[in-house]
Amino acid sequence: MYGKIKEYLQRELADIKAAGLYKIERVIASPQRAEIEVAGRSVLNFCANNYLGLSDDERLIEAAKRAMDERGFGMSSVRFICGCQDIHKELERAIADYFGTEDTILYAACFDANGGVFEPLFTEQDAIISDALNHASIIDGVRLSKAVRYRYANADMEALEDCLKRAQAQRFRVICTDGVFSMDGNAAPLDEICRLARQYDALVMVDECHSAGVLGATGRGITELYDLRGEVDILTGTLGKAFGGAVGGFTTGRREIIDMLRQRSRPYLFSNSLPPAVVGAGIELFKILGQSNELHDRLVANVEHFRAGMMAAGFDIKPTQSAICAVMLYDAKLSQDFAARLQEEGVFVTGFYYPVVPKGQARIRVQVSAGHTVEQLDRCIAAFVKVGRELNVLQ
């Protein structure tokens, strides 16, 4: 029975490899941190979402151990059947306090949060207006809803306004956008989005995955950056990037919206509650961030140092307000060759090319962390310069 589909899959996989699109997972033999062990050698890690350098933080590890000692290993059930623990509610309150919102609901991942936010709230009478570069999880979540769909070019406010005008035919409207777009590192123009939302009577939903812990004076995300705390209706985010790098997602926002998600959001209703270790570490994380801005300040300084060094060397870097630095190479094969040579030089990065980014827009995405030292940043820049000259990217 498996024979026919096996042959089909073998052909498809061969085609993927021939096109240079086959994904090979590299194996890390150390904790996730600024310098990691890969293939028996130490390399600098510049492709993790570990923006605040917390993935191996001893305070979070100890908090996770305490939570397991006190609350066990796993929950073994979904919340509407078997309830949750007190620490789950504590973490939800901590997230709401951090973002200045009214309530929070936890998910297994932000992919689930985005996948479960639209269908319970919007019907065929409503409209979802989405940025063209939104994350795949938002796209999949929109597909699950019967709402009328509109799409506008990335951060194009004229195009967004045109969508809003056409969407006046629908009952409710929601504008959804990434806070920071993961391939380019640019921040959504949330001030203009909210202005248009007020003008055309629309809700606003923002995915904070790459902006939380990074943007704003204290790292509290894109609403802090634009002085809009408490004004955005729906925020989604993850504990898997700046917030410790484990697993877990959340939606935080208006109380009635969160309450409705608890009643009808399928990924929430039919997935196990987060394990106590993740919850305990999450609670500790928000205590740490509430006590000091040191990690965020270090991240900002590191990003500025890296960008300045790379631009001084002559690299083409997309403008960014985040910790994502897109080093533009434009050619797909060149991006792969460049990344491979960098790993030989002890720098762990990934080249991105079509279909992950538009054709002719291949790049290496460098992600800077508060965990990097200035010496490590300079080693990375030196490796880029060496390989850039070898491959004729720099003259």
Side-chain angles (χ1 to χ4, degrees), residues 292-358:
S292 169
N293 296 328
E294 177 188 356
L295 293 175
H296 176 257
D297 293 345
R298 192 186 310 159
L299 172 64
V300 171
N302 282 353
V303 172
E304 291 175 351
H305 182 90
F306 180 80
R307 277 182 52 79
M310 291 289 285
M311 294 179 73
F315 284 101
D316 182 0
I317 310 289
K318 275 187 173 287
T320 183
Q321 294 165 285
S322 68
I324 295 169
C325 299
V327 183
M328 300 305 296
L329 298 172
Y330 302 101
D331 180 81
K333 185 177 184 304
L334 175 60
S335 72
Q336 298 308 290
D337 293 344
F338 206 115
R341 278 289 297 115
L342 282 172
Q343 185 159 338
E344 292 173 6
E345 294 296 323
V347 175
F348 196 57
V349 291
T350 300
F352 292 89
Y353 49 93
Y354 181 83
V356 179
V357 295

Side-chain angles (χ1 to χ4, degrees), residues 121-127 167-173 201:
L121 301 173
F122 306 105
T123 73
E124 64 276 0
Q125 301 178 62
D126 306 315
Q168 294 304 298
Q170 279 74 53
R171 179 185 59 170
F172 303 133
R173 291 152 293 283
D201 190 23

Side-chain angles (χ1 to χ4, degrees), residues 7-205:
E7 292 174 2
Y8 164 76
L9 293 174
Q10 288 174 336
R11 289 194 301 271
E12 287 293 301
L13 289 167
D15 289 344
I16 292 171
K17 289 179 180 178
L21 302 177
Y22 191 81
K23 300 172 184 66
I24 298 174
E25 296 182 355
R26 298 173 289 187
V27 178
I28 299 172
S30 67
Q32 179 67 283
R33 53 170 64 123
E35 193 156 355
I36 56 177
E37 297 295 321
V38 177
R41 61 178 302 209
S42 179
V43 295
L44 297 177
N45 190 358
F46 281 90
C47 60
N49 301 312
N50 186 24
Y51 298 127
L52 295 178
L54 288 166
S55 293
D56 67 333
D57 190 283
E58 286 297 329
R59 294 168 293 183
L60 301 191
I61 294 169
E62 289 303 315
K65 291 176 181 177
R66 287 196 305 272
M68 281 198 291
D69 288 341
E70 296 170 5
R71 296 294 187 274
F73 176 67
M75 292 302 296
S76 302
S77 184
V78 300
R79 285 174 70 157
F80 86 93
I81 293 176
C82 203
C84 67
Q85 294 174 326
D86 51 350
I87 57 175
H88 291 84
K89 303 305 292 184
E90 185 179 351
L91 177 57
E92 288 173 342
R93 287 192 297 271
I95 292 170
D97 289 344
Y98 185 84
F99 288 100
T101 53
E102 295 175 350
D103 199 2
T104 301
I105 180 173
L106 295 173
Y107 289 86
C110 190
F111 208 105
D112 285 337
N114 286 337
V117 71
F118 299 107
E119 190 268 340
L121 301 173
F122 306 105
T123 73
E124 64 276 0
Q125 301 178 62
D126 306 315
I128 300 172
I129 306 166
S130 184
D131 190 289
L133 292 188
N134 278 343
H135 191 269
S137 57
I138 295 178
I139 294 169
D140 284 0
V142 172
R143 286 172 177 164
L144 293 172
S145 170
K146 292 182 173 64
V148 180
R149 305 166 194 173
Y150 298 87
R151 190 173 77 156
Y152 62 96
N154 179 232
D156 185 331
M157 294 299 97
E158 288 186 11
L160 172 57
E161 185 168 17
D162 180 64
C163 290
L164 285 164
K165 288 177 179 177
R166 288 185 284 138
Q168 294 304 298
Q170 279 74 53
R171 179 185 59 170
F172 303 133
R173 291 152 293 283
V174 60
I175 305 164
C176 51
T177 180
D178 282 5
V180 163
F181 297 93
S182 59
M183 287 299 113
D184 288 358
N186 59 310
L190 189 61
D191 52 348
E192 287 299 301
I193 290 172
C194 287
R195 180 186 66 79
L196 290 170
R198 288 189 291 269
Q199 181 177 346
Y200 291 96
D201 190 23
L203 300 170
V204 177
M205 173 265 184

Side-chain angles (χ1 to χ4, degrees), residues 99-102 223-224 227-233 235 253-254:
F99 288 100
T101 53
E102 295 175 350
T223 60
E224 183 182 54
D227 194 23
L228 290 168
R229 280 173 59 80
E231 295 189 35
V232 171
D233 304 290
L235 299 173
R254 309 289 187 190

